[in-house]
Amino acid sequence: MTTQSFDVLCIGRVGVDLYPMQTGVGLEEVKTFGKFLGGSAGNVAVAAARYGHSAAIISRTGDDPFGRFVAQALADLGVATTFLGIDPWLPTPVTFCEIFPPDHFPLYFYRYPQAPDLRVGPEQIPPLAVADSRVFWTTLTGLSAEPSRSAHATAWGERGRKAHTVLDLDYRPMFWVHESDATRAAGEALACSTVAIGNLDECRIAVGETQPDRAAHALLDRGVDLAIVKQGPRGVLAMTADERVECPPVPVEVVNGLGAGDAFGGAVCHGLLNGWGLRETIEFASAAGAHVAARLECATAMPDEPEVRALLHQAGRA
């Protein structure tokens, strides 16, 4: 097994996005679709690679044409697939969406009977890579089923709550039998993480708070060093034990908002790796999210640093 470490190592969802080429209509009226690399963990890894960081993903695909597409697309976009397994029985997940700009993008996940990424087991966790990578990115979705839940526990055990152990609260109700199960899992995950990122509904699931400041304080009380609360059109609140930063959104004409959160997350990783201050990191991440929201696809829309800086300059926030 390789002992290579990475700047950013992600574990979680990867698959194929089939997004409509017609907007403002339901799927029953869509005539053509575009095929794109997708999945939250895959998107964040691609975003990190676009900033010049070494990035890898721990996940699984099916043994099918879509799985081969995912592996090739990740490699083409600079993400190491060393820890991307192949499941011999389960199909590669496919996700459809409907596009009703500026803020309505229903998602339809085809992950039945179970997604291969939730079949990642403890034996697939590379202990040295998890322990040594500078950022380790996880999502709450990864705790929604076994053996993935045990794999995450194994990874956190190897890492030992090292700095830049990030939890994307990433709550998707269709992946859970009961909401209370997600709340319990979030508690376990927060106890192993140093950075938590989530929107207001995800904070409600994780810590029972929807008021931004109370949510951030509740996350810090769970032991993380940095709490980031995304507030939609109100922007982003970020808080540490001794600093509070609130940034308004960067204005763009929204095409598809679904990849913005992953672009934001990849940019947070970039800021952490560069040792930026909190305000610079959050301003930059907000602009990265806006860049992707102005495009149809997710992974292949991830910006590089000059593109984000140009958008900040255009918004008068450089």
Side-chain angles (χ1 to χ4, degrees):
M1 180 179 290
T2 181
T3 59
Q4 183 179 5
S5 64
F6 297 88
D7 292 330
V8 178
L9 178 61
C10 301
I11 180 172
R13 297 201 310 277
V14 71
V16 175
D17 289 340
L18 293 177
Y19 283 179
M21 306 308 289
Q22 293 79 44
T23 63
V25 298
L27 285 178
E28 64 273 21
E29 298 180 54
V30 173
K31 294 179 171 57
T32 54
F33 295 85
K35 181 183 71 174
F36 307 104
L37 174 66
S40 183
N43 291 338
V44 172
V46 168
R50 287 284 286 156
Y51 297 123
H53 302 295
S54 60
I57 186 167
I58 304 170
S59 192
R60 287 166 75 94
T61 69
D63 186 11
D64 51 36
F66 278 157
R68 292 189 287 276
F69 165 77
V70 166
Q72 187 61 56
L74 285 167
D76 289 346
L77 291 166
V79 177
T81 57
T82 310
F83 313 120
L84 181 66
I86 299 175
D87 192 287
W89 299 289
L90 295 170
T92 302
V94 174
T95 303
F96 292 88
C97 77
E98 295 174 329
I99 299 177
F100 295 95
D103 58 2
H104 186 52
F105 308 100
L107 276 169
Y108 301 86
F109 293 98
Y110 287 75
R111 294 167 57 86
Y112 308 109
Q114 189 178 47
D117 54 75
L118 290 176
R119 297 299 303 167
V120 171
E123 71 284 352
Q124 197 178 330
I125 298 300
L128 292 177
V130 169
D132 293 345
S133 291
R134 297 173 64 198
V135 173
F136 183 52
W137 181 279
T138 68
T139 69
L140 184 60
T141 294
L143 304 185
S144 63
E146 289 287 6
S148 177
R149 186 168 186 160
S150 294
H152 280 69
T154 296
W156 285 319
E158 295 289 350
R159 191 163 175 87
R161 211 175 198 183
K162 181 180 177 180
H164 306 339
T165 301
V166 184
L167 174 65
D168 180 355
L169 293 172
D170 180 49
Y171 174 66
R172 307 284 180 174
M174 66 285 294
F175 298 160
W176 299 86
V177 177
H178 300 293
E179 189 176 279
S180 59
D181 295 334
T183 299
R184 282 192 294 272
E188 297 169 7
L190 287 167
C192 301
S193 305
T194 63
V195 179
I197 304 173
N199 62 31
L200 291 175
D201 190 54
E202 291 164 345
C203 289
R204 176 185 66 82
I205 294 297
V207 293
E209 298 286 356
T210 57
Q211 196 281 331
D213 278 272
R214 287 201 301 267
H217 280 295
L219 291 168
L220 294 174
D221 287 345
R222 298 297 182 94
V224 301
D225 300 320
L226 171 59
I228 301 175
V229 181
K230 296 183 287 188
Q231 306 174 69
R234 289 189 56 200
V236 179
L237 169 67
M239 193 179 294
T240 67
D242 52 14
E243 189 174 5
R244 180 187 185 279
V245 168
E246 195 160 12
C247 296
V250 175
V252 293
E253 184 175 347
V254 174
V255 173
N256 180 3
L258 292 174
D262 297 333
F264 180 95
V268 168
C269 293
H270 186 47
L272 292 173
L273 291 169
N274 284 331
W276 291 349
L278 187 56
R279 180 166 295 280
E280 181 179 5
T281 297
I282 300 305
E283 289 273 12
F284 185 92
S286 296
H291 174 96
V292 173
R295 287 151 180 81
L296 174 64
E297 68 271 26
C298 296
T300 49
M302 296 296 164
D304 59 21
E305 183 165 339
E307 289 175 311
V308 180
R309 297 289 180 195
L311 184 55
L312 283 168
H313 180 77
Q314 178 182 323
R317 289 160 63 176

